[in-house]
Amino acid sequence: MKKLRAVLSLMLAFVLTLSLLSGCSSATKQQQSSQSNNTTQNAKNKDFKVGLVTDVGGINDHSFNQLAYQGIEKAKSELGVTVNFIQSKQQTDYVTNLTQFAQQKYNLVIAVGFLMKDAVEQVSKEFPDTKFLIIDSDITDRPNVASATFKTEQCGYLVGVMAGLMEKEKNSKLNDQNVVGVVGGMQIPPVDSYIAGFQQGVKAVNPDTKVLVSYTGNFNDPASGKQMALTQISQGADIVFHVAGQTGDGVINAAKEKNVYAIGVDADQNYMAPDTVMTSALKKVDVATFETIKNALNNNFKSGLVYFDLANDGVGYAKPIKDVPQSIVDKVNEYANKIKDGTIKVSDQVQK
Amino acid sequence: MSKVLKSIYMPILAVVIAIIIGSIIMLATGFNPVAAYTSLFIGAFGTFPNIANTLANAVPLIITGLGVAIAFNAGLFNIGAEGQYWIGAIVGTWIGYYFKGLPWYIHIPFALIAAMVAGGLWGGIIPGFAKAYTGAHEVITTMMMSYVAIYFSHYLLEFGPMMEKGSVPQSPLIKDSAVIPTIVPNTQLSYGIVIALVAALFVYWLMYKTVWGYEMRAVGFNQRASKYAGMNVPFNIVLSLSLSGIFAGLAGAVQILGVQHRLYDSFTSGYGYTAIVVALLAKNNPIGVVFSALLFAALGTGSQYMQLNAQVPGQLTDVITGLIIFFVAADKIIELFKTMFKKQKKEELAS
């Protein structure tokens, strides 16, 4: 027993010494970085503090939490603002985390995801001097809250146009059947707007194409996504679009395995399967966070609904792989321009 | 007194070792463990609102942990507390928003009791009877029932009967008369903490001061011997699993009425699983459950603050949690170390 105590105390002493060392090194690092920029503008920007609260997905979710994180990192390097983030572990953390930032006098607090709506409504009332940005929500009655809303039906439409035109092409990955598939996560509006756009885009260029739509009912189960994609592929689909978060990893896997094309969502997911993911429908949360930080920094903060669409580069599609001929890309850009100038209106309602 | 010390000695040792290994991991990955643990502690207990939030996080863990501990005491592994929590939350939410014009002293108990009944049925009737009369293993049945409950909530909320009008998959807010009031303003601490503490005292009394509790524990020790002694084993199995479900269901309703005020579409609350760890660390003692729930709640709230102020990823507390579980579950390893030391000492003495 005595010996055990001795071992424990030795370990503790060891830990304490090492921690002193590591404490020193991090302090010097901070000094260096603060010396490098000391003009007044930079100092003012450095005083501007931006806090990011992720939802339970965390900053490595390959999706909007990660994009929001990229947005604040960009703001840090380009605008010189001070940024910090907290990853929420469960839904009851939202209020606590938002409050932490507000209490520590952060100028702008960013909440990722519509699930934080109640939390933002509550905390923004208690801290009227703090500005809030919530991604994917619709809070309109607060002077200090901006809600970023993405017209994802527009980028869904563009990748739909691309898929519809690709169906007319011939290569080793495409079959003779005129069928494409969509695998959705939960049947909720942020998912459905993509799917609605996709359906309309396909039909616009290739009215005979059959669009298979199915939902897995979750966002975190790649196995079920793979299963559903395999079913669609066996029904003739040779391009599968997923709107299913991590579940979509399975969709991309299935497409790779069966040698057909996949279309990624939210972020450019080409890196997951470079020959398979022909493009991705982009929801540029990074652009939204960066723009909002910039506006808030320049005393230009707009509250209420802030739309991000093709016109302000808030949505778009990722650079297609070389299997997609330039003629098709040109055509897609043509449609993009038509949406921008309002000739084409894209609905966000799924055709059942 | 020494008996108490002896029983809390192993869990505390497990926690200490986990914390030390956690700090070695932090050093190896380039973080300062002293700064990290300091901010973890400040985040959990440093200010009055932080203490309140820690207590608030402990409420569902205490109540669900009590449920799991009851089943453990009877030798049953209720791994489906998560599902019973969901059923309680669903029923609590529905009663909370559907009934209008009730005074709070009827509305709140009504919601809580209905949630308890629902959780009890979910955990007790199907898995309990299946275990008692067909021998179907409760680990499998409670787990499967848990999935049924979680997917049922998806059905209800995603364009189902409980979805609020609009675009977000969540239930309507519960009526004001069903809200358990908050004790400390601007925090999530509600009078649910009182319910949790009363529940802990009740379970202590039930398990250690009544015949029912004695019989359940006897069945847990040795089913055949208790049968030989004239106890009704199937009844005790159903009873303990039902009680287990009743508390998990109560936890779900208390969380809805006290903190969330509506049901969100989500994959897991995590409370049902953490509750298993809470009960394990507490060695199934109801009073111990309160303290071990507080520990895990503190790790939860503290980790958020630690991310913000020490830039240590919050997942690190998950690592510590995992290590605690490991050392509690593997307390045989610690026993082994102890006997090794003892042997050495004897050899030293002999030489």
Side-chain angles (χ1 to χ4, degrees):
Chain A
M1 188 56 214
K2 221 175 211 167
K3 203 143 200 182
L4 190 67
R5 215 180 287 161
V7 172
L8 281 179
S9 54
L10 261 178
M11 277 167 95
L12 259 177
F14 171 74
V15 167
L16 283 170
T17 353
L18 278 181
S19 62
L20 279 175
L21 292 176
S22 64
C24 295
S25 63
S26 69
T28 44
K29 226 184 278 167
Q30 268 176 3
Q31 262 175 7
Q32 275 169 357
S33 65
S34 63
Q35 269 169 4
S36 61
N37 41 22
N38 46 8
T39 59
T40 46
Q41 179 60 37
N42 279 353
K44 190 197 116 199
N45 286 4
K46 209 173 168 52
D47 286 343
F48 192 86
K49 294 198 285 183
V50 181
L52 172 74
V53 180
T54 76
D55 73 3
V56 289
I59 58 162
N60 294 319
D61 66 346
H62 299 303
S63 184
F64 38 88
N65 287 304
Q66 194 169 3
L67 288 169
Y69 179 68
Q70 285 169 9
I72 64 165
E73 283 294 305
K74 189 178 167 204
K76 183 179 156 190
S77 61
E78 289 186 13
L79 307 173
V81 296
T82 304
V83 300
N84 209 339
F85 68 94
I86 313 184
Q87 307 188 57
S88 306
K89 277 197 197 154
Q90 53 197 24
Q91 296 198 329
T92 48
D93 290 340
Y94 295 157
V95 171
T96 326
N97 291 344
L98 293 168
T99 310
Q100 288 285 9
F101 275 128
Q103 264 172 353
Q104 300 192 15
K105 301 268 181 267
Y106 274 68
N107 304 70
L108 175 66
V109 180
I110 299 167
V112 183
F114 61 86
L115 286 176
M116 280 195 231
K117 185 180 172 188
D118 287 354
V120 170
E121 279 181 339
Q122 186 188 332
V123 179
S124 64
K125 198 156 68 185
E126 285 157 21
F127 296 92
D129 296 333
T130 310
K131 296 193 166 56
F132 293 86
L133 165 67
I134 179 164
I135 307 289
D136 269 346
S137 193
D138 52 357
I139 302 175
T140 50
D141 56 347
R142 299 283 156 76
N144 59 336
V145 180
S147 304
T149 308
F150 295 86
K151 297 252 176 206
T152 46
E153 61 274 17
Q154 295 184 347
C155 55
Y157 189 94
L158 295 184
V159 296
V161 168
M162 196 184 290
L165 292 170
M166 282 297 279
E167 283 297 304
K168 295 177 180 167
E169 295 287 312
K170 280 203 177 7
N171 72 28
S172 64
K173 289 194 178 179
L174 297 170
N175 58 26
D176 305 334
Q177 287 160 282
N178 198 0
V179 182
V180 295
V182 191
V183 176
M186 293 177 183
Q187 194 173 0
I188 52 176
V191 169
D192 274 349
S193 62
Y194 272 116
I195 297 177
F198 185 78
Q199 287 175 323
Q200 294 162 65
V202 172
K203 297 282 175 203
V205 292
N206 197 342
D208 300 330
T209 309
K210 194 169 166 200
V211 183
L212 306 170
V213 178
S214 37
Y215 300 87
T216 60
N218 57 54
F219 290 109
N220 61 346
D221 183 9
S224 67
K226 185 169 181 181
Q227 201 55 48
M228 208 148 267
L230 287 175
T231 311
Q232 293 188 342
I233 294 167
S234 71
Q235 289 172 315
D238 46 11
I239 299 175
V240 278
F241 176 35
H242 87 85
V243 193
Q246 279 174 24
T247 300
D249 296 2
V251 176
I252 292 174
N253 262 332
K256 192 177 169 188
E257 212 175 280
K258 293 285 169 189
N259 198 32
V260 299
Y261 289 113
I263 298 177
V265 79
D266 292 339
D268 186 352
Q269 296 183 318
N270 180 263
Y271 68 93
M272 293 171 81
D275 296 327
T276 305
V277 180
M278 63 180 215
T279 184
S280 303
L282 302 180
K283 171 165 159 180
K284 299 184 183 172
V285 176
D286 49 340
V287 172
T289 41
F290 180 77
E291 289 299 319
T292 311
I293 294 171
K294 204 165 100 185
N295 289 339
L297 185 64
N298 300 329
N299 291 325
N300 219 352
F301 180 81
K302 276 193 279 291
S303 64
L305 289 183
V306 183
Y307 286 103
F308 290 91
D309 54 13
L310 280 175
N312 61 9
D313 197 34
V315 299
Y317 65 95
K319 190 171 175 291
I321 57 175
K322 60 179 185 326
D323 290 12
V324 182
Q326 188 57 39
S327 58
I328 290 185
V329 179
D330 292 342
K331 195 93 185 185
V332 173
N333 286 335
E334 218 171 90
Y335 275 93
N337 286 330
K338 279 188 198 162
I339 295 174
K340 278 186 206 167
D341 64 26
T343 332
I344 297 178
K345 293 256 186 297
V346 188
S347 149
D348 58 3
Q349 295 301 315
V350 173
Q351 307 288 312
K352 303 278 156 147
Chain B
M1 192 58 207
S2 70
K3 210 172 141 198
V4 175
L5 269 179
K6 217 173 189 176
S7 64
I8 63 171
Y9 156 70
M10 289 304 286
I12 289 181
L13 192 63
V15 172
V16 170
I17 294 180
I19 287 176
I20 291 175
I21 294 184
S23 55
I24 293 173
I25 294 172
M26 275 190 246
L27 281 173
T29 47
F31 296 107
N32 180 344
V34 173
Y37 284 125
T38 313
S39 64
L40 186 71
F41 187 81
I42 295 173
F45 300 109
T47 66
F48 191 57
N50 290 0
I51 296 175
N53 280 327
T54 300
L55 290 175
N57 269 350
V59 170
L61 289 178
I62 293 172
I63 306 177
T64 321
L66 288 172
V68 176
I70 294 172
F72 269 139
N73 267 321
L76 298 164
F77 197 170
N78 177 14
I79 206 169
E82 179 74 25
Q84 295 141 18
Y85 172 96
W86 272 102
I87 285 299
I90 291 169
V91 170
T93 311
W94 183 73
I95 291 174
Y97 76 77
Y98 187 78
F99 292 92
K100 298 176 189 87
L102 297 178
W104 67 267
Y105 50 84
I106 293 176
H107 206 166
I108 293 175
F110 178 33
L112 293 182
I113 290 168
M116 287 163 80
V117 171
L121 292 177
W122 207 258
I125 295 305
I126 298 171
F129 276 95
K131 169 81 179 180
Y133 293 104
T134 71
H137 206 288
E138 78 280 0
V139 167
I140 308 291
T141 47
T142 53
M143 191 73 199
M144 293 301 125
M145 290 297 282
S146 179
Y147 279 118
V148 173
I150 292 169
Y151 283 100
F152 183 55
S153 80
H154 287 327
Y155 156 74
L156 289 173
L157 292 175
E158 290 162 25
F159 296 93
M162 268 176 80
M163 184 175 164
E164 189 186 30
K165 279 198 189 89
S167 63
V168 183
Q170 58 189 17
S171 78
L173 279 172
I174 57 170
K175 297 278 173 289
D176 284 342
S177 56
V179 171
I180 300 178
T182 308
I183 302 178
V184 183
N186 294 351
T187 69
Q188 303 187 317
L189 183 61
S190 70
Y191 283 96
I193 187 78
V194 179
I195 298 176
L197 294 177
V198 170
L201 289 175
F202 172 77
V203 173
Y204 181 81
W205 172 78
L206 179 77
M207 294 312 285
Y208 295 97
K209 307 287 174 197
T210 66
V211 178
W212 286 21
Y214 178 79
E215 285 201 0
M216 277 190 273
R217 286 186 295 134
V219 168
F221 275 123
N222 190 330
Q223 281 198 11
R224 282 189 200 159
S226 357
K227 194 173 175 188
Y228 186 70
M231 293 174 193
N232 186 345
V233 173
F235 169 77
N236 276 295
I237 288 176
V238 175
L239 176 67
S240 59
L241 277 175
S242 302
L243 280 170
S244 194
I246 282 174
F247 281 97
L250 174 66
V254 168
Q255 189 70 356
I256 294 291
L257 304 190
V259 178
Q260 286 181 224
H261 301 161
R262 69 165 93 203
L263 192 62
Y264 294 108
D265 200 26
S266 161
F267 318 118
T268 159
S269 72
Y271 295 126
Y273 304 120
T274 313
I276 296 171
V277 191
V278 166
L280 267 176
L281 183 64
K283 302 233 152 176
N284 306 326
N285 181 309
I287 306 303
V289 163
V290 174
F291 290 100
S292 82
L294 266 176
L295 171 74
F296 285 103
L299 282 174
T301 39
S303 75
Q304 305 291 324
Y305 190 85
M306 183 175 78
Q307 283 182 47
L308 173 57
N309 294 304
Q311 263 78 48
V312 178
Q315 280 84 351
L316 203 91
T317 54
D318 292 342
V319 173
I320 295 173
T321 312
L323 288 166
I324 294 176
I325 300 166
F326 178 81
F327 285 113
V328 170
D331 57 0
K332 290 278 183 314
I333 297 179
I334 299 180
E335 294 287 342
L336 193 75
F337 274 124
K338 265 170 46 185
T339 50
M340 261 167 57
F341 278 121
K342 266 181 199 156
K343 239 187 229 163
Q344 261 185 358
K345 214 179 246 172
K346 266 180 203 159
E347 277 162 15
E348 276 167 19
L349 284 175
S351 64

